[in-house]
Amino acid sequence: ILVSIFLMNLLIAQLNGAYQAVYEDMVGFARLNRAAVIVSTLEQVSEKRWVRFFQAQKFEERLEFNEGDIGLPGGLQVREPSNANPTTVDAIRRFGGSTSPTMPWPEEENRDGGDDDKFKRLEKLIVRATKSMGSSGGTKKGGSSSAGASGSGGGSGGAEEEGSD
């Protein structure tokens, strides 16, 4: 009985793998067919109509990333819900001042970590503290003081800076 169950599961796994391979091929062929239809349709569009369509897309206008944050030209803006792709860290570094290409890049003030590093250390410290609070017992209290010492392991001056801000 165990051998027949094993062989049945093996057969199901083989069929599943074959189905996935066929499905991926089907999707690829569908995309190629769609591209062929688009190319054949574009061949039938007059140049005047194509130029009018291209100008209507306004590729020379800059796209707005966020409200008041003007980005690069040459694209189509697609709006999506803010919770569709959540991010916890902003990937865009923002600097004030002129956006002239002839102006040099501004110097970063805190190359040794700055506020971002302080917040990361503070967040780690809070996580360790909440973990130690969740545990009970007198021995854990000593463990939390060692967590505080390890949080300031980057230098005792780092902990003093956080307290002074």
Side-chain angles (χ1 to χ4, degrees):
I1 286 183
L2 290 176
V3 172
S4 62
I5 291 174
F6 173 74
L7 290 175
M8 185 63 80
N9 283 339
L10 187 62
L11 175 66
I12 291 170
Q14 288 290 330
L15 289 174
N16 189 17
Y19 176 79
Q20 286 178 348
V22 168
Y23 180 77
E24 289 173 4
D25 286 344
M26 182 182 67
V27 169
F29 288 131
R31 287 183 180 161
L32 287 173
N33 189 26
R34 187 178 306 146
V37 169
I38 290 171
V39 168
S40 66
T41 303
L42 285 177
E43 290 174 351
Q44 298 172 3
V45 175
S46 67
E47 187 173 341
K48 180 181 175 183
R49 187 170 182 181
W50 175 254
V51 169
R52 195 171 60 227
F53 167 76
F54 191 78
Q55 290 174 346
Q57 299 305 309
K58 301 178 183 175
F59 287 121
E60 67 278 352
E61 290 183 11
R62 293 179 174 264
L63 299 175
E64 186 176 12
F65 289 131
N66 290 328
E67 187 175 337
D69 190 1
I70 305 297
L72 302 172
L76 295 173
Q77 188 169 14
V78 177
R79 302 215 183 252
E80 63 181 23
S82 60
N83 62 355
N85 299 303
T87 57
T88 56
V89 178
D90 192 8
I92 299 174
R93 307 260 345 217
R94 301 176 194 282
F95 297 97
S98 174
T99 58
S100 171
T102 59
M103 296 291 294
W105 283 94
E107 292 291 324
E108 294 186 40
E109 293 177 4
N110 296 326
R111 288 187 178 238
D112 59 343
D115 291 338
D116 291 340
D117 197 30
K118 287 181 186 177
F119 287 126
K120 287 179 185 176
R121 283 188 290 162
L122 183 61
E123 186 177 1
K124 286 180 183 177
L125 185 63
I126 290 172
V127 167
R128 281 191 222 130
T130 54
K131 283 183 181 178
S132 67
M133 280 189 227
S135 304
S136 61
T139 59
K140 293 296 180 183
K141 191 171 185 181
S144 67
S145 67
S146 67
S150 66
S152 62
S156 62
E160 292 171 7
E161 286 177 6
E162 288 176 10
S164 65
D165 285 345

